[in-house]
């Protein structure tokens, strides 16, 4: 592999606080150094990135790659290509595939497919319980040994308080987070969108905000009781933000994520029965959107995650009640975040990159999220001022299910580098 | 000329007060057709209409079919059971196949909210929503408005309370939109477990108890209580429901004024409504059914390009279109 020099870019490294114009030098797949007027190594691939931002590659702690079992929606190859196109150098793959990723050979399969695909890195998240049924704890020790970085029954909550308690306790030995999809199942049963005036108008069954908040409160209390690390997935309500804020003020080590769609859209997006606005948790109210943005600003919400959830177009071309939940997100996450949070005045660009790269690496104990010398060269080059229109026909993902088709966004990925090798470039 | 209603009738929420009045005014001349010995005018001769019923229905389906036949349309009834739908065909494929047969209009009843709109966005034929999930049932709302107008002269300023299971009722939603647009004061009354969240934001008042509603209202529209709601735990028992929320003779006798009682049917006598009320002098329940045919004739006529000012001529047997 040839050495690479990214010359003259604005280098932002949230892990060190660096933010200045410099050259980044990559050799043998690792960051060799950053500085001004560095010599160009012999035979190096030289890229002039003047006017662009050079940053640690983005890391998504919540991705559905659908393989094994749902390859009509996405494969590890197409999903990691989509990730690379979105500036992500690593994604954490959720285990709700078919079969479920709940044993070491299944974890090994995901790792093997990701290596073969050769795009973004994949860190498997394994199931909390066998088959995600909530009945029998999975073998965390073997799962971690095979490469799992966290456990989650995502798609479903860990409904039983006792099971969640046990999972948080048992996970402590391995230092992994238990990522919970917070939804009290009896309150959410049958719901297809946020419960509010829009669901009332449309005659659709609602999922009340309190269904999420009850589980957030429970998980916070169980984390305090057990000393385990609970990671709260895709927070969507102002009540959840407030519960987490109070927990953090009390010194608790809970972590939480928010998704771009939840801070970009409200339940009004469902008004035309658009199944691309159907997701779980559902799009909420303007006050919730505002609370999530505020939570990201003050650090209550630690990270931005995509909840990338590909679905075949046939499945979404249905009556709203019958369409599956979820949207793709890898290729729009950065643009939405820059447009809504940076241009919207909530975060600086370094703060955003912290929440999309450095903090995800830290809370999930992953490599990456840094441009420090000696670390693997997982790097993204961004044109933060570029404006572009979301064109689903150009998605690398196999699926097109997004409510953002045709949106004009700011901030575009120019190049994505994993281990010193360019896995995506826009020419 | 532009169609006065657009291509479809999907709900009353998207309609203006003028459009609603237009339908009600157009229904007036059509009432008389059903009173004749020979109940047929040639207005929709040559038009083909499919009545696509994914949910069972007696009254609405028959009412539409009579309206179509009295306007001389060719009609086909499709019920979900025994059709390609029961073989797993998707709604979008059903729509495309109907389109390929070059039909003029589809009347759809479906269990999913938004299904009528889903169909309308995918075919060129006119679509009439005959009830979609818990969303809207616009022709029921229109016939209720026509009935109130018949009985009280006008809708504006009248106090109408919709009673019962608002949460699961498409009739309630169509009534709320239609009544509000025509200037009525609208309230709902039922157990809070059967009131949808944010209903007051639509501009309606909530009465906690049926006695308060009766004291306030000029009109009660008493909704059917689906018996399965009890099993789903929304109310403790039908007996309790009748005791607390039932529209009974005793309660009506204490009303400060004479009330008009509507019910969209089918009734659960002795659950939401006392038989003496249903069969009593204030009940306009059968008048609603009669008006249903006239309202549906008006909608069919207007959607197929009929000009409102020619409706009178159309019912006399001349061509109503351009």
């Amino acid at each position: 592999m040839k050495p690479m020099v990214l010359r003259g870019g604005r280098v932002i490294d949230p892990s060190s606080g660096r933010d200045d114009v410099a050259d980044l030098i990559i050799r043998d797949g690792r960051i060799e150094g950053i500085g001004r007027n560095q010599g160009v190594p012999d035979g190096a691939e030289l890229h002039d990135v003047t006017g662009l931002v050079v940053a640690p590659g983005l890391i998504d702690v919540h991705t559905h790659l659908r393989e094994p079992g749902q390859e009509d929606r996405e494969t590890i190859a197409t999903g990691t290509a989509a990730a690379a196109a979105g500036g992500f150098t690593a994604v954490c793959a959720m285990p709700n595939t078919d079969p479920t990723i709940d044993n070491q050979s299944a974890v090994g399969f995901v790792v093997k497919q990701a290596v073969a695909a050769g795009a973004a890195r994949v860190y498997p998240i394994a199931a909390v319980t066998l088959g995600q049924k909530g009945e029998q704890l999975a073998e965390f020790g073997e799962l971690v040994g095979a490469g799992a970085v966290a456990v989650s029954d995502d798609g479903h909550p860990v409904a039983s308080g006792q099971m969640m308690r046990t999972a948080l306790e048992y996970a402590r030995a391995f230092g992994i987070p238990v990522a919970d999809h917070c939804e009290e199942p009896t309150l959410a049963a049958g719901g297809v969108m946020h419960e509010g005036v829009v669901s009332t108008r449309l005659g659709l069954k609602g999922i009340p905000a309190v269904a999420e908040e009850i589980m957030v409160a429970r998980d916070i209390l169980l984390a305090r009781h057990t000393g385990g690390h609970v990671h709260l997935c895709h927070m969507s309500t102002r009540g959840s933000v407030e519960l987490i804020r109070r927990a953090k003020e009390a010194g608790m080590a809970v972590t939480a994520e928010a998704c771009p769609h939840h801070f970009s859209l409200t339940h009004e997006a469902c008004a035309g029965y658009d199944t691309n606005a159907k997701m779980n948790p559902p799009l909420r109210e303007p006050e919730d959107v505002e609370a999530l943005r505020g939570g990201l600003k003050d650090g209550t919400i630690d990270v931005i995650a995509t909840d990338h959830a590909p679905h075949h177009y046939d499945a979404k071309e249905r009556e709203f009640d019958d369409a599956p939940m979820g949207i793709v997100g890898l290729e729009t996450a950065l643009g939405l975040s820059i447009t809504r949070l940076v241009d919207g005045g909530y975060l600086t660009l370094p703060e955003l990159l912290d929440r999309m790269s450095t903090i995800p690496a830290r809370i999930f104990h992953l490599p990456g999220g840094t441009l420090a010398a000696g670390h693997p060269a997982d790097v993204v080059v961004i044109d933060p001022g570029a404006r572009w229109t979301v064109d689903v026909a150009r998605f690398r993902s196999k699926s097109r299910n997004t409510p953002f088709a045709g949106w004009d966004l700011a901030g575009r990925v120019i190049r994505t580098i994993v281990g010193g090798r360019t896995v995506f470039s826009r020419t | 000329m532009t169609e006065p209603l657009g291509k479809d009738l999907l709900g009353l929420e998207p309609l203006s007060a003028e459009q609603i009045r237009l339908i009600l005014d157009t229904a007036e001349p059509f009432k008389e057709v059903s009173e004749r010995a020979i109940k047929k005018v040639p207005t929709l001769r040559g038009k083909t209409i499919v009545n696509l019923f994914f949910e069972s229905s007696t009254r609405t389906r028959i009412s539409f079919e009579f309206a179509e036949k009295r306007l001389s349309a060719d009609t086909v009834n499709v019920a979900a059971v025994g059709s390609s739908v029961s073989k797993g065909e998707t709604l979008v494929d059903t729509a495309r196949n109907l389109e390929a047969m070059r039909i003029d209009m589809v009347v759809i009843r479906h269990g999913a909210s938004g299904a009528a709109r889903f169909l309308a966005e995918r075919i060129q034929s006119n679509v009439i929503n005959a009830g979609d999930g818990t969303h809207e049932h616009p022709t029921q709302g229109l016939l209720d408005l026509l009935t109130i107008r018949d009985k009280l002269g006008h809708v504006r300023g009248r106090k109408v309370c919709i009673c019962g299971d608002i949460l699961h009722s498409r009739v309630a939603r169509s009534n709320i939109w239609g009544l509000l647009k025509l200037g009525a004061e609208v309230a709902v009354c039922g157990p809070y477990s059967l009131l949808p969240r944010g209903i007051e934001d639509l501009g309606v008042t909530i009465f906690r108890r049926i006695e308060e509603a009766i004291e306030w209202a000029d009109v009660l529209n008493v909704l059917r209580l689906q018996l399965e709601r009890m099993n789903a735990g929304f109310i403790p028992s039908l007996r309790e429901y009748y005791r607390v929320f039932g529209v009974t003779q005793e309660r009506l006798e204490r009303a400060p004024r004479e009330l008009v009682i509507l019910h969209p049917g089918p009734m659960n006598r002795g659950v939401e409504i006392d038989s003496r009320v249903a069969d009593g002098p204030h009940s306009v329940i059968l008048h609603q059914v009669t008006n249903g045919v006239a309202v549906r004739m008006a909608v069919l006529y207007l959607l197929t390009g009929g000009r409102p000012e020619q409706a009178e001529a159309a019912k006399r047997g001349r061509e109503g279109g351009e």
Side-chain angles (χ1 to χ4, degrees):
Chain A
M1 197 187 314
K2 285 199 289 188
M4 191 187 295
V5 177
L6 301 175
R7 177 181 276 173
R10 176 184 168 194
V11 178
I12 298 175
D13 181 4
S15 74
S16 66
R18 178 173 203 129
D19 180 2
D20 60 1
V21 173
D23 303 337
L24 179 85
I25 297 163
I26 296 166
R27 195 199 291 268
D28 297 331
R30 292 181 178 274
I31 309 275
E32 184 165 273
I34 305 171
R36 306 294 293 272
N37 305 317
Q38 303 249 325
V40 176
D42 286 345
E45 188 182 325
L46 180 65
H47 297 285
D48 180 3
V49 292
T50 307
L52 305 180
V53 164
V54 176
L58 309 181
I59 298 173
D60 184 16
V61 298
H62 194 140
T63 305
H64 298 274
L65 293 177
R66 303 301 193 203
E67 189 180 347
Q70 299 144 349
E71 291 87 352
D72 59 324
R73 308 178 195 175
E74 195 80 284
T75 64
I76 289 172
T78 59
T80 53
F88 292 92
T89 53
V91 298
C92 298
M94 281 294 179
N96 58 336
T97 49
D98 182 15
T100 308
I101 308 301
D102 61 4
N103 61 77
Q104 59 178 345
S105 54
V107 172
F109 171 79
V110 172
V111 170
K112 179 174 78 72
Q113 291 295 83
V115 169
R121 301 178 196 272
V122 176
Y123 299 112
I125 296 176
V128 176
T129 60
L130 295 183
Q132 295 189 309
K133 293 196 174 98
E135 293 161 5
Q136 191 181 342
L137 208 61
E139 294 163 329
F140 293 2
E142 286 194 354
L143 295 167
V144 170
V149 298
V151 288
S152 179
D153 277 354
D154 184 62
H156 308 282
V158 178
S160 149
Q162 173 60 28
M163 181 59 76
M164 188 64 181
R165 173 200 171 150
T166 308
L168 283 166
E169 288 172 336
Y170 191 68
R172 289 189 69 179
F174 313 102
I176 53 169
V178 179
D180 199 21
H181 169 119
C182 296
E183 180 181 26
E184 204 288 315
T186 64
L187 285 169
V192 296
M193 67 172 293
H194 173 63
E195 181 184 293
V197 69
V198 180
S199 67
T200 291
R201 257 165 47 208
L202 296 177
L204 293 172
K205 179 138 171 44
I207 301 172
V210 71
E212 174 174 307
E213 291 154 6
I214 280 178
M215 288 303 242
V216 168
R218 181 202 73 169
D219 285 353
I220 288 170
L221 294 171
L222 285 174
R224 185 173 70 185
H225 184 69
T226 60
H229 174 189
V230 68
H231 177 75
L232 304 164
C233 296
H234 41 53
M235 291 291 94
S236 70
T237 80
R238 51 194 186 271
S240 295
V241 174
E242 197 45 46
L243 287 164
I244 299 162
R245 184 172 285 129
R246 276 193 268 158
K248 288 194 167 181
E249 282 166 5
M252 293 185 52
V254 299
T255 58
E257 69 190 35
C259 304
H261 44 273
H262 287 129
F263 59 71
S264 300
L265 286 171
T266 70
H267 57 162
E268 289 288 351
C270 302
Y273 297 98
D274 179 1
T275 56
N276 281 328
K278 181 177 177 182
M279 57 204 63
N280 192 15
L283 300 170
R284 305 274 188 190
E285 298 176 6
E287 294 84 350
D288 299 304
V289 169
E290 192 55 38
L292 290 172
R293 293 177 183 180
L296 279 161
K297 180 179 171 67
D298 72 10
T300 299
I301 305 288
D302 299 84
V303 300
I304 293 166
T306 67
D307 197 7
H308 178 80
H311 287 290
H312 195 273
Y313 77 88
D314 275 347
K316 283 285 195 182
E317 182 78 350
R318 297 294 307 268
E319 299 88 316
F320 198 91
D321 278 343
D322 297 338
M325 307 270 199
I327 63 166
V328 292
L330 287 167
E331 294 172 80
T332 49
L334 181 68
L336 285 166
S337 298
I338 289 178
T339 306
R340 288 300 207 231
L341 301 177
V342 178
D343 294 354
Y346 293 87
L347 298 176
T348 63
L349 189 56
E351 286 169 342
L352 175 70
L353 294 167
D354 201 17
R355 286 150 180 74
M356 294 187 80
S357 175
T358 305
I359 300 175
R362 185 164 70 231
I363 65 178
F364 273 54
H365 315 295
L366 307 175
T370 179
L371 296 177
H375 284 265
D378 290 1
V379 181
V380 63
V381 180
I382 299 163
D383 183 348
R387 302 214 55 105
W388 59 288
T389 303
V390 178
D391 177 3
V392 296
R394 304 190 62 173
F395 278 179
R396 269 69 172 178
S397 170
K398 250 189 185 184
S399 292
R400 305 279 180 266
N401 50 308
T402 175
F404 301 114
W407 279 41
D408 285 316
L409 299 179
R412 196 156 212 209
V413 176
I414 301 299
R415 181 178 296 272
T416 306
I417 299 162
V418 174
R421 199 169 55 83
T422 297
V423 294
F424 172 81
S425 71
R426 189 180 308 282
T427 48
Chain B
M1 78 174 231
T2 56
E3 307 295 341
L5 295 185
K7 180 172 90 67
D8 312 299
L9 179 69
L10 303 179
L12 297 191
E13 184 183 3
L15 296 190
S16 66
E18 290 66 34
Q19 288 173 310
I20 292 171
R21 277 192 213 100
L22 175 71
I23 298 170
L24 300 183
D25 293 346
T26 307
E28 291 293 345
F30 284 120
K31 283 179 182 173
E32 189 264 334
V33 173
S34 299
E35 304 302 329
R36 299 179 188 173
I38 297 174
K39 302 175 175 58
K40 210 168 185 82
V41 292
T43 313
L44 295 190
R45 198 165 52 199
K47 298 282 186 189
T48 49
I49 302 178
V50 174
N51 298 314
L52 188 59
F53 277 63
F54 292 87
E55 274 188 347
S56 61
S57 159
T58 304
R59 170 180 344 241
T60 303
R61 187 178 55 74
I62 292 174
S63 180
F64 265 109
E65 203 174 342
F66 275 135
E68 292 155 4
K69 286 186 169 16
R70 287 174 192 176
L71 292 172
S72 303
D74 294 316
T75 68
V76 175
N77 293 325
V78 181
V81 179
S83 72
S84 52
V85 174
S86 62
K87 298 173 189 168
E89 187 174 74
T90 63
L91 185 54
V92 67
D93 284 334
T94 304
R96 287 178 184 147
N97 280 281
L98 291 172
E99 183 89 293
M101 290 182 226
R102 304 289 182 261
I103 53 161
D104 296 296
M105 189 177 289
V106 180
V107 176
I108 178 175
R109 157 73 60 97
H110 196 288
S113 299
R117 176 173 172 152
F118 181 92
L119 190 70
E121 287 172 346
R122 284 161 181 78
I123 62 174
Q124 290 173 6
S125 321
N126 307 105
V127 173
I128 298 177
N129 181 5
D132 63 326
T134 56
H135 174 226
E136 284 222 45
H137 189 353
T139 55
Q140 178 72 44
L142 290 164
L143 73 89
D144 290 344
L145 292 169
L146 187 62
T147 307
I148 293 170
R149 203 169 78 166
D150 285 352
K151 287 292 154 187
L152 299 177
H154 55 90
V155 174
R156 174 168 299 280
R158 300 301 186 188
K159 295 175 174 171
V160 182
C161 185
I162 306 159
C163 306
D165 179 3
I166 312 296
L167 181 62
H168 300 99
S169 176
R170 52 195 173 212
V171 176
R173 287 167 177 79
S174 288
N175 261 269
I176 288 169
W177 295 118
L179 288 163
L180 288 173
K181 284 169 195 276
L182 293 194
E185 289 184 56
V186 184
V188 296
C189 176
Y192 267 88
S193 52
L194 290 173
L195 299 183
R197 202 164 178 82
I199 186 80
E200 60 275 28
D201 294 345
L202 304 186
V204 307
T205 309
I206 297 174
F207 287 113
R208 292 183 308 135
R209 302 300 295 260
I210 191 72
E211 292 84 357
E212 299 167 16
I214 287 171
E215 192 179 329
W216 173 83
D218 301 311
V219 179
L220 295 185
N221 194 346
V222 186
L223 301 177
R224 170 182 169 77
L225 185 82
Q226 309 259 6
L227 302 181
E228 54 267 31
R229 301 304 170 215
M230 184 182 72
N231 298 330
F234 289 98
I235 53 165
S237 70
L238 298 180
R239 180 175 160 279
E240 160 116 338
Y241 186 84
Y242 182 67
R243 287 175 66 103
V244 181
F245 291 99
V247 177
T248 62
Q249 189 69 33
E250 291 72 22
R251 287 183 171 128
L252 287 186
E253 279 165 5
R254 287 196 287 274
R257 62 185 80 81
E258 298 221 325
L259 271 73
V260 176
I261 307 292
L262 287 80
H263 191 300
M267 280 185 283
N268 295 309
R269 291 169 178 264
V271 179
E272 71 270 2
I273 192 164
D274 184 342
S275 281
R276 287 171 295 164
V277 175
D279 301 330
H282 307 306
S283 163
V284 293
I285 294 169
L286 295 175
H287 191 106
Q288 288 173 270
V289 177
T290 306
N291 275 346
V293 177
V295 152
R296 290 176 177 117
M297 289 171 82
V299 169
L300 293 163
Y301 173 73
L302 291 170
L303 284 183
T304 50
R307 300 179 68 162
E309 64 275 16
Q310 290 176 357
E312 186 68 33
K315 77 146 192 186
R316 287 200 298 271
R318 295 202 293 272
E319 293 300 326
E322 288 283 16

